[in-house]
Amino acid sequence: MFPPVYAIVDSEMAGGRTLRVSEELVDAGVALIQYRDKSATPRRLFEICAALASQLRGRARFIVNDRADVAALCEAGGVHVGQEDLGVEDARAVCGARWVGISTHNLEQLSAALRTSADYVAVGPVFATTSKKNPDPVVGLEFVARARAMTRKPIVAIGGISVENAESVYRAGADSVAVIRDLMATGKPAERAAEYLRIAAKVRSAHG
């Protein structure tokens, strides 16, 4: 079963606590963690990702944002690509059997992604978000439901997810919610992650 919480550890928000935050999230039960750093040099990015891959190996799947080469070099659990990064199949050529996920923001992108070998497809932003400098237009819960109806691939909802709206996102058909700011803003990411896991368990229990 696809992990219901997809924690994204952003370098700026973690503020030098990347390894500690990741450790706390795993201890709370998070099984899928992505590291995102848009400003690091390639060497620095590799160093951090190698440390995370080593720390999380056997405990949680570690995903590198954008960089398939770094994911392969540090033996991460996968890579997540956006619309302007390497395509899924090119990333797959670099990463092999590791997971390759892709972000989609409209029906055309979603349809194209579903024709690839992507292991999961992210859709969003579901709600307004401040985690990206130039966010795409909000797609809403209706788009999550539409994506669910179109595929059996795991659907990850992203963008403006909070503990207040997470249940509605799961009920719309998302297998997982990707959370950045709402995990980090409280200063207690592990406690917040545990809340999401409880919500997910409640919804999954209700659906049998």
Side-chain angles (χ1 to χ4, degrees):
M1 189 174 290
F2 198 88
V5 176
Y6 190 149
I8 299 180
V9 178
D10 179 88
S11 60
E12 289 186 18
M13 295 182 202
R17 297 179 63 247
T18 294
L19 293 175
R20 184 185 302 176
V21 167
S22 299
E23 182 75 19
E24 292 173 357
L25 289 170
V26 173
D27 287 343
V30 174
L32 184 57
I33 295 177
Q34 179 190 131
Y35 179 65
R36 187 177 78 172
D37 189 336
K38 299 290 188 180
S39 60
T41 63
R43 176 178 290 183
R44 179 59 179 157
L45 180 64
F46 171 73
E47 290 172 347
I48 297 172
C49 287
L52 283 166
S54 176
Q55 176 188 40
L56 301 176
R57 189 167 291 120
R59 304 170 64 208
R61 184 175 290 270
F62 170 55
I63 305 292
V64 176
N65 182 253
D66 295 347
R67 297 291 298 269
D69 56 341
V70 172
L73 284 168
C74 73
E75 299 184 349
V79 64
H80 184 86
V81 297
Q83 291 295 315
E84 297 180 358
D85 300 317
L86 281 180
V88 170
E89 306 311 338
D90 291 328
R92 175 76 64 203
V94 176
C95 286
R98 294 176 176 86
W99 279 9
V100 178
I102 182 170
S103 292
T104 65
H105 311 293
N106 55 51
L107 187 58
E108 181 181 3
Q109 293 174 1
L110 173 63
S111 298
L114 296 180
R115 294 192 294 269
T116 71
S117 67
D119 294 281
Y120 68 87
V121 177
V123 299
V126 180
F127 306 106
T129 176
T130 57
S131 296
K132 292 186 73 173
K133 293 180 180 177
N134 298 296
D136 291 274
V138 169
V139 299
L141 293 171
E142 299 80 5
F143 193 74
V144 177
R146 187 165 189 178
R148 173 76 289 149
M150 291 173 64
T151 185
R152 298 183 68 178
K153 287 181 185 286
I155 297 296
V156 176
I158 189 169
I161 309 291
S162 68
V163 290
E164 288 76 24
N165 60 36
E167 183 171 343
S168 67
V169 179
Y170 288 124
R171 292 192 183 282
D175 295 281
S176 184
V177 294
V179 190
I180 309 171
R181 185 169 298 278
D182 196 54
L183 280 180
M184 308 299 293
T186 63
K188 298 179 179 179
E191 291 182 15
R192 185 65 102 186
E195 290 185 63
Y196 280 97
L197 289 167
R198 284 193 292 270
I199 294 168
K202 171 186 171 184
V203 175
R204 286 183 171 179
S205 175
H207 284 240

